[in-house]
Amino acid sequence: MDADRPRTSVGDAAVIVIVGGGPRGTGVLERILAQEAVNADPTPLEIHVVDPYPAGAGRIWRGSQAPLLWMNSTTADVTMFTDSTTIVDGPIVPGPTLAEWVAENTEELGSFPEIADEIPTVTPASFASRSLQSRYLHWVFQSAVDSAPPHVVVRIHRRSVIEIDDTEGGQNVRLDNGDVIEATSVLLAQGHPDALAAPREIQLSDFSAEHGLTYVGPGYTADLDADVIAEGEPVLIAGLGLAFIDWMVLLAESRGGVFERADNGNLVYSPSGREPLLYAGSRRGVPYHSKISYSIEDARPPLPRFFTADLVPGDGPLNFHEDIWPLASKELAGAHYYELFAAHPERTVGTWEEFDSEFASLSWGSPRLDELIENAVPKAEDRIDLEQLNRPLGGERYDGLDAVQKRIGEYIAADISRRSDPYFSADAAVFSALLSSYMTVGELLRRGRIPAESVAKDVEGWLHSFFSFIASGPPPERLEQLLALNEAGVVQFLGPDTVFSTEIDPSTGDGLFVARSASHTDIVATRTLIEARLPVASISASGDALLRSLHRRGEAVELRATVDSAAKLAVDGTSRICRADNTVHPRRFAVGPWVAGHNWSAAFPRPRTNAGFFRHNDALAAEILGATRLCAFPVASTTRKAHGGEAPS
């Protein structure tokens, strides 16, 4: 399929190949085209986008998903367009948010059967289905292609890339149908590839097969078969993040159960009888915090203040916990107290100016800072406690599973209430400070100031987990549904610090999956286990044959903190792919959630926040174009069949 605009003669064109046509590949493509649109001395350029899934949405956001699977951001908080707050070198190209786009295209969108019932209900505060987001992303992609200046042509290939080989004048990009694209520069933007089974997953799968059990390993939920989970059977489910929410939907409401509002306003679930009994647990023992449902913008403090790349001392490698996290913590706390003084002065002592004049000068964690906060904020519940925020049930002990249900049920109900109440608007300020801090971490990564081992362990591991728990949670209605399912007996909570394992029943010899929580002594054993999470990133064991091949040949390096941790693709500060010989490929780039250090900009950008998504995409587009234009050997023929001859893409 071609997506060509009328153009001048392309002639000998430089060629860029973007491997992956999802949101990130689309974002970089848009920035390349925006920069080329103002190029004072344009030369012919071809851009090939290769993805087996629909361009714009890609695999994760494709439209063919269960209609009950939602986004976890409101339609007003999702955009793919730069705005007046965006600080980039390339042109600002405004466009609608998802909410605005739906409002402008209601009649046309209503003609698509999979979203026809949804469209009349969409508001700026709605959490859209992924099918609707797929339509938006496809439109964004096509709008970018339609904006291409005459000297640029964009071609789309619904294929997979299986190999990239260097040539004297560029790179041969080999597709799974035998075609070869002769490229100048290549960008890898595959998003969330699958991974080959890790040793623990192989062990669980083998144990399951040996004993006639059911084991569902990690994966993107929409790709997995929920029908293998038997009706009415007890099931262990490891994880309480966003993948768990998807499983909750697929195994309850999607099986015919109904949610209704009771007279007291509480949500009540009426089972269909086809649901399993889910026993769910995780390290924290609770789901991600609900999305805030009041205006976050109204509680946005002046940011950044205490944590910017220029304020981090020195110019050498940084220790995350000694050099970075104290500044980030002060940023979060400063935002919290700014909003508390501004919006809730009755809960503080003195003025903000008096508090801030001393707060700004004190080091995070110092006794004087603690004393200052205690004097200015009399109630402990009005102070920020980052450790408690991260591990809300840490150290708690319960008499058994019944007590766990009561404690976690109360916790979730309180979280839903708090995240909808502006009385706690300091939470929204902390959310904004988290976004700002993630941007600063991204800048430190680009400057090369965070050592590789710290990127893998501290940024990709600890910080991303903290950020996701606080800021990337589900819609509040999903947590209401979880409470209703718990009340209906469909979901039971296992408690914090849950460990999942296998055992042999000594009395029968049967194999079982077993869950134990450090918070109580009750044990749950079942014949089914679901791992509710995405695969742990791995380049050497990626499900993407291209990544495995590049790693095997030493043309890609993975960063791993521990044997069992994620192993992401290593790039330098310009997003060029690192090689095993400690060099980088001059015209091969990578971006996305499986690239080391890129979790900070993996989510959809919020409008009017100078989002790192756009700043990174713009800088990367400039690097790719610079490398492509500087190539001494422009490529004349861009696509050929493996057995000779030209072929349309």
Side-chain angles (χ1 to χ4, degrees), residues 420-460:
S420 64
D421 188 351
Y423 179 86
F424 300 103
S425 61
D427 292 353
V430 171
F431 174 87
S432 295
L434 265 173
L435 293 178
S436 176
S437 297
Y438 238 41
M439 291 182 192
T440 298
V441 169
E443 178 60 30
L444 292 171
L445 288 167
R446 285 196 297 275
R447 296 185 184 187
R449 298 209 57 197
I450 304 179
E453 61 274 13
S454 184
V455 172
K457 179 181 179 182
D458 301 315
V459 177
E460 303 287 359

Side-chain angles (χ1 to χ4, degrees), residues 494-513:
L494 291 166
D497 295 311
T498 299
V499 175
F500 298 87
S501 61
T502 59
E503 290 186 8
I504 303 295
D505 185 332
S507 62
T508 65
D510 293 339
L512 295 168
F513 295 115

Side-chain angles (χ1 to χ4, degrees), residues 312-362:
V312 178
D315 56 7
L318 297 169
N319 180 290
F320 180 85
H321 293 285
E322 294 178 5
D323 302 319
I324 295 176
W325 184 238
L327 294 177
S329 297
K330 189 171 180 180
E331 189 80 282
L332 303 182
H336 174 95
Y337 293 118
Y338 176 91
E339 173 63 15
L340 195 67
F341 273 90
H344 313 285
E346 73 281 0
R347 290 149 62 187
T348 62
V349 175
T351 67
W352 165 251
E353 289 74 20
E354 293 169 339
F355 176 84
D356 187 53
S357 64
E358 190 169 0
F359 179 87
S361 66
L362 296 171

Side-chain angles (χ1 to χ4, degrees), residues 208-454:
S208 175
E210 180 182 353
H211 294 279
L213 309 179
T214 300
Y215 169 67
V216 181
Y220 182 57
T221 318
D223 293 335
L224 302 174
D225 183 8
D227 291 340
V228 304
I229 307 302
E231 301 174 6
E233 292 294 317
V235 173
L236 291 179
I237 184 162
L240 280 163
L242 296 179
F244 164 78
I245 297 296
D246 284 354
W247 274 110
M248 177 189 86
V249 172
L250 294 176
L251 296 176
E253 189 177 11
S254 291
R255 290 194 172 187
V258 177
F259 291 102
E260 295 178 311
R261 289 282 174 193
D263 292 341
N264 63 3
N266 291 339
L267 205 62
V268 177
Y269 183 72
S270 299
S272 68
R274 297 174 54 213
E275 303 87 349
L277 169 58
L278 299 176
Y279 289 91
S282 67
R283 183 173 60 90
R284 291 188 179 93
V286 295
Y288 287 1
H289 282 285
S290 165
K291 277 290 167 54
I292 293 172
S293 56
Y294 53 84
S295 172
I296 291 176
E297 192 63 31
D298 291 344
R300 183 172 174 81
L303 291 165
R305 287 195 65 208
F306 305 113
F307 183 42
T308 69
D310 291 334
L311 288 176
V312 178
D315 56 7
L318 297 169
N319 180 290
F320 180 85
H321 293 285
E322 294 178 5
D323 302 319
I324 295 176
W325 184 238
L327 294 177
S329 297
K330 189 171 180 180
E331 189 80 282
L332 303 182
H336 174 95
Y337 293 118
Y338 176 91
E339 173 63 15
L340 195 67
F341 273 90
H344 313 285
E346 73 281 0
R347 290 149 62 187
T348 62
V349 175
T351 67
W352 165 251
E353 289 74 20
E354 293 169 339
F355 176 84
D356 187 53
S357 64
E358 190 169 0
F359 179 87
S361 66
L362 296 171
S363 298
W364 179 254
S366 66
R368 176 54 194 153
L369 181 63
D370 294 341
E371 181 183 2
L372 173 69
I373 292 171
E374 290 176 6
N375 291 337
V377 184
K379 293 184 177 180
E381 58 264 32
D382 285 331
R383 304 172 198 148
I384 190 169
D385 183 337
L386 294 177
E387 179 57 32
Q388 177 68 18
L389 195 60
N390 184 38
R391 295 297 302 271
L393 306 186
E396 293 187 3
R397 298 292 180 267
Y398 315 106
D399 290 337
L401 277 175
D402 289 344
V404 170
Q405 308 317 302
K406 183 176 186 298
R407 173 68 178 100
I408 296 183
E410 291 172 347
Y411 167 88
I412 295 173
D415 184 61
I416 296 169
S417 175
R418 180 181 181 114
R419 305 287 272 193
S420 64
D421 188 351
Y423 179 86
F424 300 103
S425 61
D427 292 353
V430 171
F431 174 87
S432 295
L434 265 173
L435 293 178
S436 176
S437 297
Y438 238 41
M439 291 182 192
T440 298
V441 169
E443 178 60 30
L444 292 171
L445 288 167
R446 285 196 297 275
R447 296 185 184 187
R449 298 209 57 197
I450 304 179
E453 61 274 13
S454 184

Side-chain angles (χ1 to χ4, degrees), residues 597-646:
H598 284 190
N599 268 332
W600 62 275
S601 58
F604 285 112
R606 294 167 56 85
R608 303 196 60 76
T609 60
N610 186 28
F613 179 89
F614 298 124
R615 294 186 290 113
H616 190 195
N617 289 349
D618 191 73
L620 178 53
E623 289 287 348
I624 294 171
L625 285 170
T628 304
R629 298 301 192 199
L630 285 174
C631 180
F633 304 98
V635 178
S637 175
T638 61
T639 309
R640 59 182 171 82
K641 288 292 186 181
H643 302 291
E646 296 295 325

Side-chain angles (χ1 to χ4, degrees), residues 2 13 15-17 46-50 153 155-157 159 171-175 177-183 635-642 644-649:
D2 282 3
V15 178
I16 297 170
V17 174
E46 285 196 6
I47 304 173
H48 295 252
V49 180
V50 186
V153 62
R155 302 185 187 277
I156 304 167
H157 307 257
R159 312 300 312 184
Q171 305 174 67
N172 280 341
V173 179
R174 302 181 185 277
L175 310 189
N177 65 344
D179 286 358
V180 177
I181 305 172
E182 298 172 350
V635 178
S637 175
T638 61
T639 309
R640 59 182 171 82
K641 288 292 186 181
E646 296 295 325
S649 53

Side-chain angles (χ1 to χ4, degrees), residues 441-483:
V441 169
E443 178 60 30
L444 292 171
L445 288 167
R446 285 196 297 275
R447 296 185 184 187
R449 298 209 57 197
I450 304 179
E453 61 274 13
S454 184
V455 172
K457 179 181 179 182
D458 301 315
V459 177
E460 303 287 359
W462 188 89
L463 180 61
H464 183 64
S465 173
F466 178 79
F467 179 90
S468 298
F469 179 61
I470 303 301
S472 294
E477 186 175 344
R478 288 303 196 209
L479 291 189
E480 286 190 274
Q481 292 174 346
L482 177 55
L483 282 181

